Amino acid sequence: TNSPLGDSNFQYRGVKQAVREVREVYDLLGADIALQARYPNCAHDFPDPQRREAYAFLDTALKHKPTTSIPAVTIGDRKLVEIKSTADGTMQPSYVLVPQRYDAAGPAVPLLVNVHSWSGDLKQRAPELEAAANERGWIYLAPNFRGANDHPEACGSKLAQQDVLAAVEWAASNYRVDRKRIYLTGSSGGGHMTMQMAGNHPQVWAAASAWVGIGDVKAWHALHSRGRYGDMLRKCCGGPPGASAAVDEQYRLRSPNTHLAAAKDVPLDIAAGIYDGHHGSVPVRHSLEAFNVVAAANAGGLAGAPSIDETTIADLCAAPWRRHAPTIDVETLDPTYDRTIYFRRSSGKCRVTLFEGGHERLDAAAA
Protein backbone atom coordinates (compact mmCIF):
# COMPACT_ATOMS: atom_id res chain seq x y z
CA THR A 1 0.00 0.00 0.00
CA ASN A 2 1.15 3.50 -0.87
CA SER A 3 -0.65 6.04 1.36
CA PRO A 4 0.73 9.59 1.16
CA LEU A 5 0.71 11.73 4.30
CA GLY A 6 -0.69 14.72 2.42
CA ASP A 7 -3.42 12.88 0.51
CA SER A 8 -6.57 15.05 0.59
CA ASN A 9 -8.73 12.34 -1.00
CA PHE A 10 -7.93 9.38 1.25
CA GLN A 11 -6.60 9.75 4.79
CA TYR A 12 -3.56 7.58 5.53
CA ARG A 13 -4.61 7.15 9.19
CA GLY A 14 -7.25 4.57 8.28
CA VAL A 15 -4.68 2.59 6.34
CA LYS A 16 -2.23 2.71 9.27
CA GLN A 17 -4.91 1.40 11.63
CA ALA A 18 -5.75 -1.44 9.26
CA VAL A 19 -2.08 -2.30 8.72
CA ARG A 20 -1.47 -2.47 12.49
CA GLU A 21 -4.30 -4.97 12.93
CA VAL A 22 -3.56 -7.09 9.87
CA ARG A 23 0.15 -7.08 10.78
CA GLU A 24 -0.55 -9.43 13.69
CA VAL A 25 -1.80 -12.10 11.29
CA TYR A 26 1.16 -11.73 8.97
CA ASP A 27 3.55 -11.97 11.94
CA LEU A 28 1.75 -15.04 13.30
CA LEU A 29 2.13 -16.82 9.96
CA GLY A 30 5.78 -15.81 9.53
CA ALA A 31 4.97 -13.67 6.48
CA ASP A 32 5.88 -10.32 7.99
CA ILE A 33 7.85 -9.05 5.00
CA ALA A 34 4.92 -9.79 2.67
CA LEU A 35 2.98 -6.82 4.05
CA GLN A 36 4.60 -3.56 2.99
CA ALA A 37 3.25 -0.08 3.76
CA ARG A 38 4.70 3.22 2.55
CA TYR A 39 3.70 6.71 3.67
CA PRO A 40 5.48 9.21 1.39
CA ASN A 41 5.42 12.88 2.36
CA CYS A 42 3.41 14.12 -0.62
CA ALA A 43 -0.14 14.73 -1.87
CA HIS A 44 -2.34 12.21 -3.77
CA ASP A 45 0.49 10.70 -5.78
CA PHE A 46 2.62 7.61 -6.47
CA PRO A 47 6.19 8.99 -6.30
CA ASP A 48 9.00 7.37 -8.30
CA PRO A 49 10.88 5.83 -5.32
CA GLN A 50 7.72 4.10 -4.05
CA ARG A 51 6.75 3.16 -7.61
CA ARG A 52 10.12 1.44 -8.14
CA GLU A 53 9.68 -0.46 -4.87
CA ALA A 54 6.16 -1.54 -5.83
CA TYR A 55 7.27 -2.88 -9.21
CA ALA A 56 10.12 -4.81 -7.58
CA PHE A 57 7.72 -6.15 -4.93
CA LEU A 58 5.34 -7.44 -7.60
CA ASP A 59 8.17 -8.95 -9.64
CA THR A 60 9.36 -10.85 -6.57
CA ALA A 61 5.90 -12.09 -5.66
CA LEU A 62 5.21 -13.22 -9.23
CA LYS A 63 8.71 -14.69 -9.65
CA HIS A 64 9.10 -12.49 -12.69
CA LYS A 65 12.36 -11.27 -14.16
CA PRO A 66 11.72 -8.15 -16.22
CA THR A 67 13.18 -8.16 -19.72
CA THR A 68 13.87 -4.43 -19.35
CA SER A 69 14.84 -2.47 -16.27
CA ILE A 70 13.90 1.02 -15.19
CA PRO A 71 16.79 3.14 -16.46
CA ALA A 72 19.04 4.77 -13.92
CA VAL A 73 18.44 8.44 -13.36
CA THR A 74 21.17 10.50 -15.00
CA ILE A 75 21.35 13.97 -13.52
CA GLY A 76 24.04 16.59 -13.94
CA ASP A 77 27.50 16.05 -15.36
CA ARG A 78 28.85 12.66 -14.18
CA LYS A 79 32.58 12.16 -14.71
CA LEU A 80 35.02 9.38 -13.97
CA VAL A 81 38.21 10.84 -12.49
CA GLU A 82 41.54 9.42 -11.33
CA ILE A 83 42.88 10.69 -8.00
CA LYS A 84 46.36 10.07 -6.65
CA SER A 85 46.37 8.28 -3.30
CA THR A 86 48.09 10.22 -0.55
CA ALA A 87 48.92 6.89 1.10
CA ASP A 88 50.65 4.82 -1.60
CA GLY A 89 50.78 7.10 -4.65
CA THR A 90 48.55 4.90 -6.81
CA MET A 91 45.82 6.39 -9.01
CA GLN A 92 42.37 5.59 -7.65
CA PRO A 93 39.05 6.15 -9.47
CA SER A 94 36.04 8.15 -8.32
CA TYR A 95 32.86 9.41 -9.92
CA VAL A 96 31.89 13.04 -9.46
CA LEU A 97 28.48 14.36 -10.39
CA VAL A 98 28.24 18.13 -10.79
CA PRO A 99 24.75 19.62 -10.42
CA GLN A 100 23.12 21.25 -13.40
CA ARG A 101 23.06 24.70 -11.84
CA TYR A 102 26.64 24.66 -10.52
CA ASP A 103 28.42 27.97 -11.15
CA ALA A 104 32.22 27.83 -11.04
CA ALA A 105 32.26 31.55 -10.29
CA GLY A 106 29.43 31.38 -7.78
CA PRO A 107 29.30 30.63 -4.06
CA ALA A 108 30.75 27.45 -2.58
CA VAL A 109 28.36 24.49 -2.48
CA PRO A 110 28.05 21.42 -0.22
CA LEU A 111 29.69 18.10 -1.10
CA LEU A 112 27.83 14.81 -0.62
CA VAL A 113 30.08 11.73 -0.42
CA ASN A 114 28.33 8.39 -0.98
CA VAL A 115 30.42 5.33 -0.12
CA HIS A 116 29.61 2.03 -1.84
CA SER A 117 28.42 -1.21 -0.25
CA TRP A 118 30.42 -4.22 1.00
CA SER A 119 30.71 -6.09 -2.29
CA GLY A 120 30.33 -3.08 -4.56
CA ASP A 121 32.54 -0.38 -6.02
CA LEU A 122 32.31 3.17 -7.33
CA LYS A 123 30.05 2.13 -10.23
CA GLN A 124 27.18 1.54 -7.80
CA ARG A 125 24.36 4.04 -8.48
CA ALA A 126 21.93 5.71 -6.07
CA PRO A 127 19.42 7.42 -8.38
CA GLU A 128 17.24 9.06 -5.73
CA LEU A 129 20.25 10.27 -3.77
CA GLU A 130 21.89 11.63 -6.92
CA ALA A 131 18.63 13.38 -7.81
CA ALA A 132 18.40 14.93 -4.34
CA ALA A 133 21.98 16.23 -4.58
CA ASN A 134 21.31 17.73 -8.00
CA GLU A 135 18.07 19.35 -6.85
CA ARG A 136 19.85 20.99 -3.92
CA GLY A 137 22.82 22.09 -6.00
CA TRP A 138 25.27 19.83 -4.16
CA ILE A 139 28.28 18.13 -5.75
CA TYR A 140 28.03 14.33 -5.47
CA LEU A 141 31.15 12.18 -5.04
CA ALA A 142 31.41 8.37 -5.24
CA PRO A 143 34.93 7.17 -4.28
CA ASN A 144 36.12 3.61 -4.80
CA PHE A 145 38.31 3.13 -1.67
CA ARG A 146 39.84 -0.11 -3.04
CA GLY A 147 36.54 -1.67 -4.15
CA ALA A 148 34.89 -4.77 -2.70
CA ASN A 149 35.89 -5.87 0.79
CA ASP A 150 37.72 -9.04 -0.18
CA HIS A 151 41.39 -8.04 0.22
CA PRO A 152 43.50 -6.39 2.96
CA GLU A 153 43.68 -2.97 1.28
CA ALA A 154 39.85 -2.60 1.52
CA CYS A 155 37.37 -3.04 4.41
CA GLY A 156 37.91 0.19 6.34
CA SER A 157 41.71 -0.03 6.27
CA LYS A 158 43.91 3.02 6.70
CA LEU A 159 44.57 2.85 2.95
CA ALA A 160 40.82 2.83 2.16
CA GLN A 161 40.24 5.71 4.57
CA GLN A 162 42.94 7.76 2.85
CA ASP A 163 41.31 7.09 -0.52
CA VAL A 164 38.11 8.72 0.71
CA LEU A 165 40.00 11.66 2.22
CA ALA A 166 42.02 12.13 -0.98
CA ALA A 167 38.82 12.11 -3.06
CA VAL A 168 37.26 14.74 -0.79
CA GLU A 169 40.37 16.91 -1.05
CA TRP A 170 40.43 16.51 -4.83
CA ALA A 171 36.78 17.62 -5.09
CA ALA A 172 37.37 20.58 -2.76
CA SER A 173 40.42 21.63 -4.80
CA ASN A 174 38.75 21.32 -8.21
CA TYR A 175 35.32 22.73 -7.42
CA ARG A 176 33.93 25.47 -5.20
CA VAL A 177 33.14 23.23 -2.21
CA ASP A 178 31.99 24.58 1.14
CA ARG A 179 34.37 22.74 3.46
CA LYS A 180 32.01 23.35 6.37
CA ARG A 181 29.31 21.37 4.59
CA ILE A 182 30.85 18.05 3.57
CA TYR A 183 28.39 15.22 4.16
CA LEU A 184 28.89 11.44 4.19
CA THR A 185 26.48 8.55 3.72
CA GLY A 186 26.50 4.85 2.92
CA SER A 187 24.44 1.69 3.25
CA SER A 188 25.45 -1.81 4.41
CA GLY A 189 29.21 -1.95 3.78
CA GLY A 190 28.84 1.75 3.04
CA GLY A 191 27.21 2.16 6.46
CA HIS A 192 30.25 0.41 7.92
CA MET A 193 32.58 2.78 6.07
CA THR A 194 30.50 5.83 7.01
CA MET A 195 30.86 5.02 10.71
CA GLN A 196 34.53 4.12 10.22
CA MET A 197 35.23 7.51 8.63
CA ALA A 198 33.16 9.41 11.19
CA GLY A 199 35.10 7.80 14.04
CA ASN A 200 38.56 8.08 12.52
CA HIS A 201 38.21 11.49 10.85
CA PRO A 202 35.43 13.38 12.65
CA GLN A 203 36.85 16.79 11.75
CA VAL A 204 36.02 16.35 8.05
CA TRP A 205 32.26 15.82 8.23
CA ALA A 206 29.47 18.30 8.79
CA ALA A 207 27.16 15.28 9.22
CA ALA A 208 27.12 11.55 8.49
CA SER A 209 24.24 9.16 7.77
CA ALA A 210 24.94 5.42 8.20
CA TRP A 211 22.39 2.82 7.12
CA VAL A 212 22.30 -0.89 8.09
CA GLY A 213 26.02 -0.75 8.78
CA ILE A 214 28.34 -3.27 10.43
CA GLY A 215 29.72 -1.93 13.71
CA ASP A 216 31.67 -4.99 14.94
CA VAL A 217 33.26 -7.03 12.15
CA LYS A 218 34.28 -9.85 14.52
CA ALA A 219 30.65 -10.33 15.55
CA TRP A 220 29.58 -10.12 11.92
CA HIS A 221 32.13 -12.81 11.02
CA ALA A 222 30.61 -15.08 13.66
CA LEU A 223 27.21 -14.69 11.99
CA HIS A 224 28.53 -15.35 8.47
CA SER A 225 31.60 -17.53 9.15
CA ARG A 226 30.41 -20.30 6.80
CA GLY A 227 29.31 -18.01 4.01
CA ARG A 228 30.66 -15.53 1.50
CA TYR A 229 30.92 -12.61 3.91
CA GLY A 230 32.93 -14.67 6.37
CA ASP A 231 35.31 -15.67 3.59
CA MET A 232 35.68 -12.04 2.53
CA LEU A 233 36.49 -10.96 6.08
CA ARG A 234 39.14 -13.63 6.47
CA LYS A 235 40.78 -12.40 3.25
CA CYS A 236 40.77 -8.85 4.62
CA CYS A 237 41.97 -9.61 8.13
CA GLY A 238 44.38 -12.48 7.43
CA GLY A 239 42.31 -15.29 8.91
CA PRO A 240 39.47 -16.01 11.33
CA PRO A 241 39.23 -14.30 14.73
CA GLY A 242 41.54 -15.99 17.21
CA ALA A 243 44.07 -17.06 14.58
CA SER A 244 46.69 -14.71 16.04
CA ALA A 245 47.02 -11.44 17.92
CA ALA A 246 47.78 -9.68 14.64
CA VAL A 247 44.61 -11.01 13.03
CA ASP A 248 42.51 -10.03 16.04
CA GLU A 249 43.96 -6.53 15.86
CA GLN A 250 42.80 -6.28 12.24
CA TYR A 251 39.25 -7.15 13.26
CA ARG A 252 39.43 -4.55 16.02
CA LEU A 253 40.81 -1.76 13.83
CA ARG A 254 38.34 -2.41 11.01
CA SER A 255 35.35 -2.23 13.39
CA PRO A 256 33.74 1.23 13.60
CA ASN A 257 32.78 0.61 17.23
CA THR A 258 36.49 0.80 18.08
CA HIS A 259 36.60 4.43 16.96
CA LEU A 260 33.08 5.87 17.22
CA ALA A 261 33.61 7.55 20.58
CA ALA A 262 35.63 10.17 18.71
CA ALA A 263 32.53 10.96 16.60
CA LYS A 264 30.47 12.28 19.50
CA ASP A 265 30.63 15.83 18.13
CA VAL A 266 29.62 14.80 14.58
CA PRO A 267 25.89 14.91 13.77
CA LEU A 268 25.57 11.17 13.15
CA ASP A 269 22.37 9.48 11.99
CA ILE A 270 22.34 5.67 12.30
CA ALA A 271 19.38 3.78 10.84
CA ALA A 272 18.29 0.22 10.08
CA GLY A 273 15.19 -1.64 8.89
CA ILE A 274 13.73 -3.73 11.68
CA TYR A 275 13.63 -6.84 9.45
CA ASP A 276 17.41 -6.76 8.95
CA GLY A 277 19.08 -9.81 10.39
CA HIS A 278 15.88 -11.78 9.83
CA HIS A 279 15.52 -10.88 6.15
CA GLY A 280 18.91 -9.31 5.56
CA SER A 281 22.56 -9.67 6.43
CA VAL A 282 23.20 -7.17 9.26
CA PRO A 283 21.18 -7.54 12.49
CA VAL A 284 19.90 -4.27 13.95
CA ARG A 285 22.05 -4.93 17.02
CA HIS A 286 24.98 -3.47 15.05
CA SER A 287 23.22 -0.11 14.71
CA LEU A 288 22.03 -0.08 18.32
CA GLU A 289 25.44 -0.96 19.75
CA ALA A 290 27.16 1.62 17.53
CA PHE A 291 24.80 4.23 18.96
CA ASN A 292 25.69 3.05 22.48
CA VAL A 293 29.39 3.69 21.83
CA VAL A 294 28.62 7.35 21.10
CA ALA A 295 26.16 7.57 24.00
CA ALA A 296 28.85 6.26 26.36
CA ALA A 297 31.26 8.91 25.09
CA ASN A 298 28.58 11.56 25.68
CA ALA A 299 27.79 10.33 29.18
CA GLY A 300 30.97 11.83 30.62
CA GLY A 301 30.00 15.40 29.90
CA LEU A 302 26.50 15.57 28.44
CA ALA A 303 23.32 15.53 30.46
CA GLY A 304 20.56 13.30 29.11
CA ALA A 305 22.78 10.99 27.04
CA PRO A 306 20.94 7.68 27.56
CA SER A 307 22.24 4.45 26.12
CA ILE A 308 20.02 1.52 25.12
CA ASP A 309 19.89 -1.26 27.70
CA GLU A 310 20.48 -4.87 26.74
CA THR A 311 16.89 -5.92 27.45
CA THR A 312 15.60 -3.36 24.96
CA ILE A 313 18.22 -4.38 22.37
CA ALA A 314 17.30 -8.06 22.75
CA ASP A 315 13.58 -7.25 22.38
CA LEU A 316 14.19 -5.17 19.25
CA CYS A 317 16.32 -7.93 17.72
CA ALA A 318 13.92 -10.76 18.54
CA ALA A 319 11.12 -12.04 16.34
CA PRO A 320 8.23 -11.35 16.41
CA TRP A 321 9.81 -8.04 17.36
CA ARG A 322 6.72 -5.84 16.92
CA ARG A 323 5.26 -7.22 20.15
CA HIS A 324 8.13 -5.56 21.98
CA ALA A 325 9.01 -2.52 19.87
CA PRO A 326 7.35 0.84 20.56
CA THR A 327 5.76 2.41 17.48
CA ILE A 328 6.20 6.12 16.81
CA ASP A 329 3.96 7.91 14.31
CA VAL A 330 6.26 8.97 11.50
CA GLU A 331 4.15 11.94 10.43
CA THR A 332 4.57 13.66 13.79
CA LEU A 333 8.22 12.76 14.15
CA ASP A 334 9.98 12.62 10.79
CA PRO A 335 8.07 12.86 7.50
CA THR A 336 11.28 12.19 5.53
CA TYR A 337 10.71 8.53 6.44
CA ASP A 338 7.85 7.02 4.48
CA ARG A 339 7.73 4.05 6.86
CA THR A 340 6.53 3.30 10.35
CA ILE A 341 9.24 4.06 12.90
CA TYR A 342 9.50 1.41 15.62
CA PHE A 343 12.27 2.87 17.73
CA ARG A 344 14.25 6.10 17.97
CA ARG A 345 16.78 7.31 20.53
CA SER A 346 19.07 10.34 20.59
CA SER A 347 22.23 11.12 22.51
CA GLY A 348 23.86 14.47 21.90
CA LYS A 349 24.34 14.78 18.14
CA CYS A 350 23.83 11.06 17.49
CA ARG A 351 20.50 9.43 16.65
CA VAL A 352 19.45 5.85 15.93
CA THR A 353 16.24 4.83 14.15
CA LEU A 354 14.65 1.45 13.44
CA PHE A 355 12.05 1.65 10.68
CA GLU A 356 9.65 -0.57 8.77
CA GLY A 357 12.01 -2.18 6.28
CA GLY A 358 14.92 -4.47 5.76
CA HIS A 359 18.52 -4.17 4.61
CA GLU A 360 18.19 -0.83 2.83
CA ARG A 361 18.70 2.91 2.86
CA LEU A 362 15.86 5.42 2.53
CA ASP A 363 17.54 7.97 0.30
CA ALA A 364 15.05 10.76 1.01
CA ALA A 365 15.68 10.41 4.75
CA ALA A 366 19.44 10.11 4.26
CA ALA A 367 19.59 13.32 2.25
Side-chain angles (χ1 to χ4, degrees), residues 90 232 248 272 295:
T90 59
M232 294 173 79
D248 286 347

Side-chain angles (χ1 to χ4, degrees), residues 17-365:
Q17 181 179 349
V19 168
R20 288 192 190 102
E21 295 181 8
V22 174
R23 175 69 67 191
E24 295 184 11
V25 179
Y26 278 76
D27 286 349
L28 180 66
L29 297 177
D32 38 55
I33 204 167
L35 177 61
Q36 298 282 327
R38 300 292 181 262
Y39 306 97
N41 188 27
C42 64
H44 186 72
D45 197 5
F46 193 13
D48 283 346
Q50 287 73 30
R51 187 182 296 271
R52 288 169 183 266
E53 283 190 295
Y55 295 165
F57 180 88
L58 292 172
D59 284 337
T60 299
L62 297 172
K63 297 180 173 59
H64 171 245
K65 291 187 177 181
T67 55
T68 60
S69 60
I70 300 173
V73 177
T74 301
I75 295 176
D77 183 15
R78 184 171 182 258
K79 299 177 180 177
L80 178 63
V81 297
E82 294 284 335
I83 300 168
K84 188 173 183 177
S85 168
T86 53
D88 65 1
T90 59
M91 300 303 293
Q92 297 296 322
S94 288
Y95 274 108
V96 60
L97 197 155
V98 181
Q100 290 167 323
R101 68 172 186 263
Y102 173 73
D103 182 357
V109 300
L111 174 67
L112 176 60
V113 183
N114 181 36
V115 285
H116 62 71
S117 64
W118 189 268
S119 303
D121 60 21
L122 77 165
K123 294 187 292 294
Q124 200 169 64
R125 301 300 298 270
E128 280 76 34
L129 196 66
E130 294 174 19
N134 180 75
E135 182 180 349
R136 298 177 189 193
W138 298 1
I139 293 171
Y140 176 96
L141 180 67
N144 195 51
F145 56 100
R146 308 294 159 139
N149 292 334
D150 58 4
H151 57 288
E153 291 78 15
C155 192
S157 69
K158 289 292 184 183
L159 200 60
Q161 293 173 43
Q162 285 301 125
D163 285 351
V164 176
L165 295 177
V168 167
E169 184 59 34
W170 178 91
S173 298
N174 285 271
Y175 298 96
R176 293 184 64 83
V177 168
D178 184 349
R179 289 181 180 268
K180 293 182 178 180
R181 298 182 67 191
I182 299 176
Y183 305 119
L184 178 66
T185 187
S187 176
S188 189
H192 164 268
M193 193 61 175
T194 295
M195 294 189 290
Q196 184 80 328
M197 294 301 296
N200 282 280
H201 308 280
Q203 73 284 356
V204 176
W205 315 109
S209 184
W211 294 75
V212 293
I214 301 101
D216 181 342
V217 296
K218 180 180 177 181
W220 203 54
H221 179 275
L223 181 65
H224 295 286
S225 61
R226 297 185 179 181
R228 179 170 64 93
Y229 293 130
D231 182 58
M232 294 173 79
L233 271 172
R234 290 189 291 275
K235 290 176 179 177
C236 292
C237 297
S244 69
V247 168
D248 286 347
E249 180 68 358
Q250 287 300 311
Y251 281 91
R252 189 186 73 85
L253 290 175
R254 295 170 192 262
S255 294
N257 289 359
T258 302
H259 317 282
L260 272 174
K264 67 182 183 66
D265 294 324
V266 177
L268 175 60
D269 192 27
I270 302 171
I274 203 163
Y275 301 117
D276 207 357
H278 301 274
H279 305 283
S281 59
V282 184
V284 299
R285 174 177 289 275
H286 283 263
S287 292
L288 300 172
E289 290 184 347
F291 170 85
N292 273 352
V293 173
V294 182
N298 284 331
L302 182 65
S307 60
I308 307 167
D309 63 87
E310 175 55 33
T311 298
T312 300
I313 292 177
D315 283 348
L316 290 167
C317 292
W321 47 90
R322 285 187 188 80
R323 297 180 187 173
H324 308 283
T327 302
I328 305 166
D329 279 342
V330 64
E331 65 274 9
T332 61
L333 180 67
D334 191 342
T336 63
Y337 281 73
D338 64 345
R339 316 289 182 87
T340 296
I341 291 178
Y342 287 98
F343 180 83
R344 175 166 280 181
R345 182 73 60 83
S346 295
S347 174
K349 296 182 178 181
C350 185
R351 183 181 76 178
V352 66
T353 304
L354 300 185
F355 59 90
E356 175 84 11
H359 190 71
E360 60 187 310
R361 176 177 60 194
L362 308 183
D363 284 351

